Amino acid sequence: MIKREIYMSRIRPFIGNELIKVLTGIRRSGKSVMLSLIQEELAQNGVQPEQFISLNFENMSNAHLCTAVALHDEILRRTKEISGKVYLFFDEIQEVADWEKCINSFRVELDCDIYITGSNAKLLSGELATYLAGRYVEFVIYPFSFREFMELYHTVYEGADERQCFTKYLTLGGMPYLSNLRYDDAASRQYLRDLFNSVELKDIIKRNNIRDVDMLERIIAYITSNIGTTFSSTAISKYLKSEGRSVSPETVLNYIKACTDAFLFYQVKRQDLQGKKILTVNEKYYVADHGVREAVYGGNMKDINLVLENVVYMELLRRGYSVTVGKVSDKEIDFVCEDHGKKLYVQVSYLLASEETIQREFGAFAGVRDNFPKYVVTMDELDMSRDGIKHRNIRDFLLAEEWN
């Protein structure tokens, strides 16, 4: 089991205190494993196993507990037999009707430490904001980084070098369960297609009562094939009209929101770096896991430039950066990244194969006058750094401990 220290280091300061720890992220990204890692650490620090109560609400044996009252009564019954602090772990809590009411009640009634997971961003909206405002801390769990993927891949194929690992990572992505399939291509693709169908059905269609499934699938297909490309809801609406399906830009936006709530896609806004304002049109979208994209739609190698962008974007999120697309006059910088006053600019390309490409990628930073680090990230093996702008091979960039 990968220790996933990048998340544990963030969760650790909150272990044992009264804040509710909420782990969100796309289905099967490893949230349940994170609960196990937390339990493991607690046990190492002297907490006894009988102080843990763990429930997974996608397990049919817990179906009778999927209401607030039933869950409340069950936990109170069990905790009567436990001395000392009780540690509550609730997996896929959104399956419990009115769950936020009983979670808030536990917080008040019991000496407890609560951890919950969910696969939809709506988990932290609406009534939850009322019941738990200021009383929870959220951690988004992403699919494996390249470093995590390589660590697990080496347990299956010990002799694989860095390049072989990255080639496999580009095709299969970072979903943790793939190691159990020994990264077999056919089995992995089948698993990823089933995962996509599960996200689409359970976390998008059912949770949002979507009736026009065909329209949803067309919109998902459009976004998936255009990751890393700026477009608007109006552009999708016009495209669908040309396909014989009439839909308003507002409806398109609602469908996209349902997909981002399920953590299938991430929206990246554009920022005018000169006017220092967020632009309200033509966002970019990236997919949570590029392996899912390959399994469902194919084309990762054909769209390699966009897929590399996707890989870098997800790594920036993992490391805690807030990310926008930068606009300077007529030029665009792929990623402007900020984290507590730190800033980073990143331009991603496949290969610097011509002088024209080199000028375009390095020239994107021409209008940026500050001294924060600027990177051009590609598949090239030779270092072509120039004018204070650092050029990195993408593997080296992803595996770097820090960027400065």
Side-chain angles (χ1 to χ4, degrees):
M1 188 162 58
I2 298 290
K3 295 298 182 187
R4 307 207 81 174
E5 183 58 27
I6 192 169
Y7 302 111
M8 284 303 302
S9 64
R10 293 170 190 164
I11 296 169
R12 200 170 281 120
F14 298 95
I15 290 177
N17 71 26
E18 64 179 15
L19 289 175
I20 296 159
K21 276 64 72 176
V22 183
L23 279 57
T24 57
I26 191 170
R27 190 173 287 270
R28 302 186 205 169
S29 58
K31 299 184 295 294
S32 303
V33 170
M34 288 307 305
L35 295 185
S36 298
L37 289 170
I38 293 164
Q39 290 181 28
E40 193 177 278
E41 185 147 319
L42 285 165
Q44 288 170 358
N45 291 328
V47 178
Q48 298 304 306
E50 55 267 23
Q51 292 175 261
F52 299 144
I53 298 177
S54 296
L55 294 169
N56 184 334
F57 295 105
E58 288 202 320
N59 187 329
M60 277 299 292
S61 63
N62 294 321
H64 64 294
L65 300 176
C66 286
T67 66
V69 172
L71 179 58
H72 177 265
D73 292 348
E74 175 69 9
I75 295 302
L76 256 56
R77 183 186 66 78
R78 291 201 200 181
T79 52
K80 282 178 182 174
E81 302 163 10
I82 300 173
S83 59
K85 187 186 283 285
V86 62
Y87 296 82
L88 304 175
F89 299 88
F90 300 129
D91 212 351
E92 300 296 353
I93 191 71
Q94 74 273 358
E95 301 299 325
V96 178
D98 297 324
W99 62 269
E100 56 273 15
K101 294 178 182 177
C102 68
I103 293 294
N104 190 50
S105 184
F106 297 149
R107 194 186 60 77
V108 174
E109 293 178 75
L110 301 173
D111 177 15
C112 63
D113 188 14
I114 304 174
Y115 301 82
I116 63 177
T117 79
S119 302
N120 199 288
K122 284 187 177 178
L123 196 71
L124 296 176
S125 63
E127 281 196 63
L128 176 57
T130 305
Y131 281 95
L132 302 179
R135 301 188 183 106
Y136 68 84
V137 57
E138 181 190 10
F139 307 94
V140 182
I141 308 300
Y142 301 100
F144 278 165
S145 65
F146 176 49
R147 180 184 292 279
E148 290 173 317
F149 175 90
M150 193 161 65
E151 186 180 339
L152 209 52
Y153 193 76
H154 280 151
T155 65
V156 180
Y157 299 103
E158 196 174 333
D161 63 26
E162 204 175 273
R163 289 190 197 188
Q164 290 169 323
C165 288
F166 190 66
T167 300
K168 188 63 81 170
Y169 185 62
L170 282 180
T171 307
L172 297 183
M175 280 299 171
Y177 189 79
L178 299 183
S179 64
N180 296 325
L181 304 174
R182 297 186 62 78
Y183 300 100
D184 175 79
D185 285 344
S188 297
R189 278 195 298 271
Q190 181 63 53
Y191 171 80
L192 292 170
R193 282 193 291 268
D194 290 345
L195 165 59
F196 170 79
N197 291 334
S198 181
V199 171
E200 184 183 61
L201 179 62
K202 293 182 180 179
D203 300 321
I204 301 175
I205 295 171
K206 284 178 69 175
R207 286 197 67 78
N208 297 278
N209 298 314
I210 290 173
R211 292 196 177 93
D212 195 342
V213 175
D214 175 70
M215 181 66 74
L216 172 70
E217 289 180 339
R218 286 169 185 258
I219 291 170
I220 290 175
Y222 182 94
I223 296 172
T224 305
S225 60
N226 288 280
I227 56 166
T229 306
T230 52
F231 57 81
S232 65
S233 57
T234 303
I236 300 180
S237 180
K238 287 178 180 176
Y239 166 76
L240 292 169
K241 192 171 183 181
S242 74
E243 296 268 296
R245 292 300 313 268
S246 184
V247 60
S248 71
E250 290 75 22
T251 302
V252 170
L253 280 175
N254 289 335
Y255 277 53
I256 293 175
K257 179 68 163 58
C259 294
T260 57
D261 280 347
F263 301 100
L264 180 61
F265 299 125
Y266 288 87
Q267 182 194 70
V268 191
K269 293 188 177 294
R270 294 165 70 235
Q271 177 184 180
D272 185 333
L273 295 179
Q274 290 173 318
K276 298 188 185 315
K277 64 179 181 180
I278 296 295
L279 304 172
T280 55
V281 294
N282 293 0
E283 298 92 354
K284 287 186 177 185
Y285 290 87
Y286 294 96
V287 65
D289 183 71
H290 56 281
V292 172
R293 181 187 193 271
E294 173 67 20
V296 178
Y297 296 101
N300 273 14
M301 294 304 110
K302 177 173 68 70
D303 301 326
I304 183 68
N305 204 61
L306 298 178
V307 172
L308 293 179
E309 257 186 59
N310 204 120
V311 168
V312 169
Y313 171 71
M314 293 305 298
E315 183 64 20
L316 293 166
L317 287 192
R318 272 184 211 97
R319 299 203 189 191
Y321 286 96
S322 59
V323 184
T324 56
V325 176
K327 181 180 178 297
V328 187
S329 300
D330 60 338
K331 292 184 170 64
E332 194 170 271
I333 298 170
D334 289 334
F335 303 123
V336 180
C337 321
E338 298 186 54
D339 178 30
H340 297 95
K342 292 188 298 180
K343 211 168 189 179
L344 185 74
Y345 300 94
V346 184
Q347 193 72 2
V348 184
S349 185
Y350 174 38
L351 291 170
L352 300 175
S354 67
E355 188 58 34
E356 181 187 356
T357 306
I358 293 170
Q359 293 297 335
R360 184 183 71 239
E361 300 302 332
F362 283 86
F365 301 115
V368 182
R369 301 300 178 194
D370 63 39
N371 293 317
F372 289 108
K374 299 167 184 70
Y375 283 91
V376 173
V377 177
T378 73
M379 292 278 283
D380 296 282
E381 301 292 337
L382 291 175
D383 186 345
M384 301 187 212
S385 301
R386 59 176 64 189
D387 305 323
I389 300 166
K390 301 169 185 178
H391 172 234
R392 291 289 182 274
N393 173 274
I394 188 167
R395 300 189 310 275
D396 296 336
F397 183 80
L398 296 172
L399 294 173
E401 291 291 339
E402 57 183 52
W403 304 305
N404 49 37

